[in-house]
Amino acid sequence: MIATTGPIAGAILASPSAFAADKAVSKTSVAELDPAEQKIADNLNARSQDPRLGSTLGGVVIDAKTDKVVWGHNATTALMPASNTKLATATAALTVLGPDHRFTTKVVYGDGTLTLVGGGDRTLTTDDLDALAKTAVAGLNNAGLTSVKVQVDDSLFPEPTLATGWNTGYYPNEIAPVRSLVVDGHAVTDTALDAGQVFAKLLTDRGVTVTGDVTRGVAGAGNVPVAQHQSDKLSKIVKHMLKVSDNNIAETLLRMTALGAGRPATFEDGTAVVRAVLGQRYGVSLDHFEMYDGSGLSRSNRIPAQTLADILDLTTDPRYRQTLKYIADGLPVAGEAGATLGPEWGRFDTPDSQCAVGKVKAKTGTLTGAIALSGMTKAQDGHWKVFSFVENGSTANGNDIKDALDGLAATVNGCWA
């Protein structure tokens, strides 16, 4: 069990937040639109008829300050959200663990064996391992030891399994089997043994003889701590995960969030904690909400556009911003290279959307038969609008569907070619 650094981990399953409940209720109320909002609604009514979007589109636009629903279309329909699922995962991770949480990788020694102990750091690098190896070698030299065995301990997580809605074709490129130890994000079947082999070579390079093959085991209670490495803060990891839509980080965070809430590191327990955080901590409606993984690769996930928008809307609430602002900060920006809305992905590069470059930030989501875009933008009335658009089942080309969704997001901004 890891220690929980989050502010409310023990209380996460307590009674619902009255504030959040009030907030949720206000979104269902009918409010008259001002002229600027009416223009957004009218233009979205027109653009949402784009044949590229097919017949199954869910969408909603909310004013972030007033929670007024500016526009909605099948907003509560259960749809496959693809990587927009990561918004729910990130919310739970930041809430349970806290933005300043760091993941620790350790090296311990006992009975002639150095054990590399995984701590759920999906961002661990070879340089990080080399620093651990340097410290370990110094300790071995001080003890007069010139040879050692190496094993890995990835017992923090149970043996990897497929999530509901996954298939083995995802392994290892879309997602690696989820383990608590990995180096350089290697896309291999056994990331723990791979990390151990990298560590063993680094020891060898520093003059220590490693005997035998790297094995898997559990560090003994009496093992002596030798070295440790701490990751960047969770806030930074979440931002990176959202910018590039990293599936592996998302699944690792789901497990660490489960552990942080005192539950086993499984898909089932991780998603149960996500539901508790959203529903009980923040009062987000879980009607038609089905979540089976942390990344959104599961084809069984269902999240309405309204729920995705409500999750993002939490990041604009002063009561929650200190914890959740990193989600908004991590959203890819239209036209920003190196993220999933960048020009290298052909996003926001059509007449319908080019004028919104730099003005829209949103999480992308793409699976066969499901494309989503949920984010926020400052509209022409100067108010931040939160939006979510989820398309399922269109037979149009995927890039054409994305262009159409970009056009919807640009419309919220006031971009109208």
Side-chain angles (χ1 to χ4, degrees):
M1 247 295 287
I2 60 170
T4 299
T5 61
I8 60 156
I12 206 69
L13 303 180
S15 61
S17 163
F19 291 120
D22 288 344
K23 204 170 161 63
V25 169
S26 71
K27 292 174 188 172
T28 66
S29 59
V30 177
E32 186 175 341
L33 302 183
D34 64 33
E37 293 167 337
Q38 189 63 56
K39 184 177 180 181
I40 292 173
D42 291 344
N43 287 345
L44 282 175
N45 283 335
R47 272 191 175 165
S48 64
Q49 301 305 310
D50 191 319
R52 295 174 294 180
L53 294 171
S55 60
T56 309
L57 173 72
V60 69
V61 178
I62 302 168
D63 184 277
K65 185 175 182 179
T66 66
D67 287 328
K68 182 194 299 184
V69 175
V70 176
W71 180 82
H73 177 80
N74 297 328
T76 60
T77 300
L79 294 172
M80 196 188 315
S83 282
N84 274 206
T85 304
K86 293 181 175 76
L87 296 171
T89 303
T91 301
L94 288 167
T95 301
V96 172
L97 299 172
D100 294 336
H101 186 82
R102 298 176 188 266
F103 305 110
T104 303
T105 305
K106 300 177 182 177
V107 177
V108 299
Y109 176 83
D111 298 325
T113 299
L114 281 177
T115 302
L116 182 63
V117 184
D121 179 7
R122 205 62 182 50
T123 64
L124 190 73
T125 67
T126 293
D127 286 345
D128 299 331
L129 283 186
D130 192 43
L132 291 173
K134 180 180 179 180
T135 302
V137 169
L140 293 173
N141 290 340
N142 288 339
L145 299 171
T146 58
S147 67
V148 71
K149 294 180 180 178
V150 171
Q151 73 172 1
V152 293
D153 180 350
D154 64 347
S155 60
L156 186 65
F157 296 173
E159 185 70 18
T161 61
L162 291 169
T164 299
W166 284 15
N167 63 67
T168 54
Y170 288 164
Y171 287 160
N173 293 321
E174 291 295 331
I175 187 83
V178 188
R179 302 180 187 274
S180 64
L181 180 61
V182 63
V183 64
D184 293 331
H186 286 168
V188 295
T189 300
D190 195 325
T191 59
L193 283 179
D194 173 70
Q197 289 159 1
V198 172
F199 181 61
K201 183 179 184 303
L202 293 168
L203 292 171
T204 300
D205 291 345
R206 291 183 174 276
V208 171
T209 299
V210 175
T211 60
D213 294 331
V214 175
T215 58
R216 174 177 277 105
V218 178
N223 281 189
V224 177
V226 173
Q228 71 173 31
H229 168 76
Q230 289 198 313
S231 71
D232 282 329
K233 291 180 179 180
L234 175 61
S235 56
K236 185 173 181 179
I237 293 172
V238 163
K239 287 192 287 186
H240 174 73
M241 184 264 287
L242 294 173
K243 287 283 186 189
V244 302
S245 201
D246 191 301
N247 295 324
N248 290 291
I249 290 177
E251 296 303 344
T252 300
L253 291 184
L254 185 73
R255 279 158 178 70
M256 297 305 290
T257 301
L259 289 173
R263 302 181 67 144
T266 64
F267 289 112
E268 295 77 12
D269 287 276
T271 54
V273 173
V274 173
R275 291 180 63 90
V277 169
L278 295 178
Q280 297 182 29
R281 170 68 173 117
Y282 296 120
V284 172
S285 171
L286 296 178
D287 292 345
H288 314 299
F289 181 98
E290 298 179 46
M291 181 176 172
Y292 296 95
D293 68 1
S295 62
L297 282 173
S298 174
R299 300 190 64 80
S300 298
N301 289 347
R302 296 291 184 273
I303 306 180
Q306 180 73 59
T307 303
L308 292 167
D310 288 350
I311 291 170
L312 278 172
D313 195 30
L314 296 172
T315 70
T316 71
D317 190 314
R319 293 166 295 175
Y320 312 132
R321 182 160 174 75
Q322 196 60 35
T323 299
L324 301 181
K325 63 182 179 181
Y326 306 100
I327 294 173
D329 293 346
L331 295 175
V333 176
E336 173 189 61
T340 57
L341 282 183
E344 64 268 41
W345 296 99
R347 304 303 296 261
F348 286 83
D349 61 355
T350 69
D352 285 350
S353 61
Q354 280 179 322
C355 53
V357 165
K359 301 175 183 177
V360 169
K361 53 184 180 180
K363 180 71 194 76
T364 56
T366 306
L367 284 176
T368 301
I371 298 180
L373 189 67
S374 299
M376 54 189 68
T377 186
K378 187 173 285 188
Q380 289 186 336
D381 60 7
H383 295 171
W384 282 97
K385 311 295 184 187
V386 176
F387 62 82
S388 177
F389 305 110
V390 185
E391 172 281 318
N392 281 188
S394 173
T395 57
N397 176 274
N399 289 330
D400 292 338
I401 298 169
K402 292 174 184 177
D403 286 343
L405 287 180
D406 291 350
L408 296 182
T411 301
V412 181
N413 173 255
C415 173
W416 187 258

